């Protein structure tokens, strides 16, 4: 073991690991196993004081700090960095009267939803309960309930941070308007966020689940998806997917969540009942604590490789590609319905999103599949060509993509100016740096 980080070890209460330490490889590994992270050290901080000490050390040593509670959004490119693990910052408070949650940077969405559900409330959570609240929210956060209530970043009332000088602060729209704007959907490139305070919303009921059919029903399911999305109220989100799981026949499915009376939700999606031959159907009344049950995404680290693009509408040309494209070696192609509150003006850097749909490819980044999966994803995007906008939400960027793909020029220039002002030495690096 080298002793390059002995000073940092003696300063923080949490663990500091470097190459040669027994647990280093495991500590440096992100949740996304398709991404490698050759970091110089891992600092598993115990509290906010540890965070400040790591930032001060990194600034003096001329090393960047990359922040990850889990690494769901890991993108690589972190050589020489200190990886700051915030998993121990796990404070969670629910104020049911004010309808507010206060969380540390290590809290995952599953815990928030379970605690909020006890009071008939919900956060703006996504599809996977083990995703960290903070990284998700800093990137905007596209929720099952986003069509009703907008981006998760819009719900934030305050950020607890450590700045690039190692100083703690509480940031609100009144205390620091520029930094609050940047952190509200502009990513984590401006300060180390150690905690969030955000609004919760009423959850009077929830109807959700997944229906799966054999691929022979592809056209019928697609037609039902188009029908549902053409008239869906903002409380309803519907996703369409084609699946090609290993050693299994191709399938087609619909995932949905309706925030409201379950019986009303059942009626709203009754078009799906007309499609015979469903292989499985998990639809029903459910708790917002169980949102992860809808898509049953992996809770354990996975070598998933994704590529996402925004699609303005479901044109005949786009439909032909979505339905006709051979999946292999991909596992799925998914189309998510956006719109609603996501398209309305917002006060933060995330802003409004005019595009009505998000299309994503998914494959396994295993050594024998990686190149083929990348090539196939590139080919799918190329086939869409000018039908795509070329933009995408920040948290849907793939490794190698930068924040330039997530923002218009004016927003990106403002983010870069705030970065230069707040972190001129580039001590803090998010997964998708705004300067990239």
């Amino acid at each position: 073991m080298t002793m390059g980080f002995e000073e940092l070890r003696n300063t923080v209460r949490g663990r500091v690991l470097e190459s040669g330490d027994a647990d280093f490889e495991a500590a440096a590994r992100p949740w996304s196993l398709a991404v490698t992270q050759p970091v110089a050290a891992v600092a598993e901080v115990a509290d906010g004081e540890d965070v400040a000490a790591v930032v001060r050390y990194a600034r003096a040593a001329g090393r960047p700090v990359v922040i990850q509670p889990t690494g769901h959004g890991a993108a690589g490119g972190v050589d020489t960095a200190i990886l700051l693990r915030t998993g121990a910052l796990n404070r969670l408070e629910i104020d049911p009267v004010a309808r507010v949650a206060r969380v540390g940077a290590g809290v995952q969405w599953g815990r928030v939803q379970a605690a909020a559900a006890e009071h008939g409330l919900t956060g703006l959570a996504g599809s996977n309960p083990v995703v960290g609240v903070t990284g998700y929210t800093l990137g905007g956060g596209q929720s099952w309930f986003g069509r009703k209530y907008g981006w998760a970043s819009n719900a934030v009332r305050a950020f607890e941070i450590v700045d690039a000088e190692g100083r703690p602060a509480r940031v609100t729209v009144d205390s620091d308007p520029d930094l609050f704007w940047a952190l509200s959907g502009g990513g984590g490139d401006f300060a180390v966020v150690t905690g969030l305070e955000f609004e919760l919303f009423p959850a009077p009921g929830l109807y959700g689940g997944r229906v799966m059919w054999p691929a022979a029903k592809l056209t019928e399911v697609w037609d039902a998806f188009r029908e549902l999305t053409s008239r869906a109220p903002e409380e309803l989100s519907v996703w369409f997917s084609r699946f090609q799981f290993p050693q299994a026949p191709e399938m087609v499915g619909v995932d949905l969540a309706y925030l409201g009376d379950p019986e009303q939700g059942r009626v709203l999606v009754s078009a799906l009942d007309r499609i015979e031959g469903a292989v499985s159907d998990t639809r029903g009344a459910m708790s917002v604590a169980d949102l992860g049950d809808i898509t049953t995404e992996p809770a354990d680290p996975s070598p998933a490789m994704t590529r996402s693009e925004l699609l303005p509408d479901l044109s005949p040309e786009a439909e032909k590609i979505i339905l006709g494209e051979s999946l292999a070696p991909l596992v799925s192609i998914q189309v998510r319905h956006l719109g609603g509150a996501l398209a309305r003006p917002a006060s933060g850097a995330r802003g409004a999103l005019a595009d009505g749909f998000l299309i994503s490819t998914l494959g396994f980044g295993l050594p024998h599949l990686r190149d083929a999966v990348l090539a196939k994803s590139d080919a799918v995007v190329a086939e869409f060509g000018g039908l795509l906008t070329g933009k995408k939400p920040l948290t849907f960027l793939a490794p190698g993509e930068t924040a330039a793909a997530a923002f218009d020029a004016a927003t990106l220039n403002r983010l870069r100016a705030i970065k230069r002002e707040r972190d001129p030495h580039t001590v803090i690096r998010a997964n998708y740096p705004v300067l990239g």
Side-chain angles (χ1 to χ4, degrees):
M1 180 186 73
T2 60
M3 301 302 290
F5 293 92
E6 194 63 27
E7 178 184 345
L8 185 59
R9 281 193 178 90
N10 293 332
T11 303
V12 301
R13 290 191 288 171
R15 288 201 309 173
V16 176
L17 303 167
E18 59 184 306
S19 181
D21 290 337
D23 297 333
F24 174 75
E25 295 296 332
R29 188 178 302 124
W31 189 93
S32 178
L33 298 179
V35 175
T36 57
Q37 291 195 146
V39 294
V42 179
E44 297 176 336
V45 294
D47 50 31
E49 292 181 4
D50 273 6
V51 173
V54 171
V55 171
R56 290 193 296 266
Y57 175 90
R59 188 176 186 280
R63 290 186 180 275
V65 171
V66 174
I67 309 98
Q68 285 180 6
T70 63
H72 272 80
V78 293
D79 308 48
T80 77
I82 299 172
L83 179 62
L84 196 157
R85 290 288 195 192
T86 58
L89 306 183
N90 58 7
R91 174 178 63 105
L92 169 60
E93 300 174 6
I94 302 293
D95 183 337
V97 176
R99 296 199 314 209
V100 165
R102 299 179 183 89
V103 305
V107 173
Q108 299 174 353
W109 269 116
R111 283 186 63 206
V112 174
Q113 291 301 101
E118 294 179 3
H119 304 284
L121 299 170
T122 183
L124 299 183
S127 54
N128 193 320
V130 299
V131 166
V133 175
T134 299
Y136 166 96
T137 303
L138 290 172
Q142 192 254 310
S143 171
W144 275 117
F145 310 135
R147 285 174 36 78
K148 175 64 175 178
Y149 292 114
W151 300 94
S153 55
N154 297 346
V156 177
R157 295 185 176 183
F159 299 92
E160 301 292 338
I161 71 158
V162 171
D163 69 14
E165 300 290 332
R167 299 171 300 202
R170 178 179 169 86
V171 177
T172 68
V173 68
D174 295 320
S175 70
D176 194 336
D178 282 345
L179 185 55
F180 186 86
W181 174 87
L183 292 171
S184 298
D189 211 31
F190 313 94
V192 179
V193 175
T194 58
L196 298 175
E197 179 180 301
F198 57 90
E199 186 178 357
L200 298 172
F201 300 89
L206 178 65
Y207 180 85
R210 165 177 284 181
V211 191
M212 297 274 282
W213 295 266
K217 299 292 183 176
L218 178 62
T219 302
E220 290 181 67
V221 176
W222 176 258
D223 289 344
F225 173 72
R226 286 181 60 97
E227 177 188 343
L228 289 175
T229 56
S230 69
R231 57 178 176 79
E234 293 184 350
E235 292 82 0
L236 175 63
S237 289
V238 187
W239 302 350
F240 167 92
S241 297
R242 292 175 59 195
F243 298 101
Q244 181 64 75
F245 298 113
Q247 287 80 52
E250 183 178 331
M251 306 287 288
V252 58
V254 169
D255 300 304
L256 59 94
Y258 174 73
L259 188 63
D261 176 65
E263 177 59 21
Q264 180 64 29
R266 186 193 65 78
V267 173
L268 280 169
V269 299
S270 60
L272 301 177
D273 299 331
R274 298 195 294 266
I275 306 174
E276 298 179 350
V279 175
S280 64
D281 186 348
T282 66
R283 288 177 298 166
M286 60 190 303
S287 168
V288 293
D290 300 322
L291 276 179
D293 293 346
I294 296 177
T295 60
T296 62
E297 294 175 13
D300 296 322
S302 163
M305 295 174 61
T306 61
R307 173 79 178 267
S308 299
E309 302 286 343
L310 289 169
L311 193 63
D313 53 47
L314 301 180
S315 67
E317 295 81 8
E319 175 181 316
K320 183 178 179 180
I321 297 167
I322 294 166
L323 301 188
E325 185 69 39
S326 171
L327 287 183
L330 300 177
V331 173
S332 73
I333 292 179
Q334 182 184 80
V335 184
R336 297 188 181 189
H337 187 208
L338 304 176
L342 298 171
R344 292 197 280 271
S347 57
R350 171 51 269 168
L353 187 65
D355 301 287
F357 299 87
L358 179 83
I359 184 165
S360 298
T361 62
L362 169 67
F364 293 130
L366 301 172
H368 66 290
L369 292 175
R370 183 182 181 87
D371 290 346
V373 168
L374 286 171
K376 179 63 174 180
S377 296
D378 289 345
V380 171
V381 171
E383 191 168 357
F384 278 99
L387 298 176
L388 303 173
T389 65
K391 295 295 183 180
K392 59 205 72 182
L394 191 64
T395 52
F396 287 88
L397 295 179
E401 296 178 327
T402 72
F407 303 106
D408 60 49
T411 300
L412 188 60
N413 287 338
R414 184 179 175 187
L415 288 170
R416 286 173 169 165
I418 293 171
K419 174 66 173 178
R420 287 192 297 269
E421 176 188 356
R422 304 307 176 107
D423 186 13
H425 302 288
T426 318
V427 177
I428 298 164
R429 285 181 50 192
N431 287 316
Y432 308 105
V434 299
L435 296 180

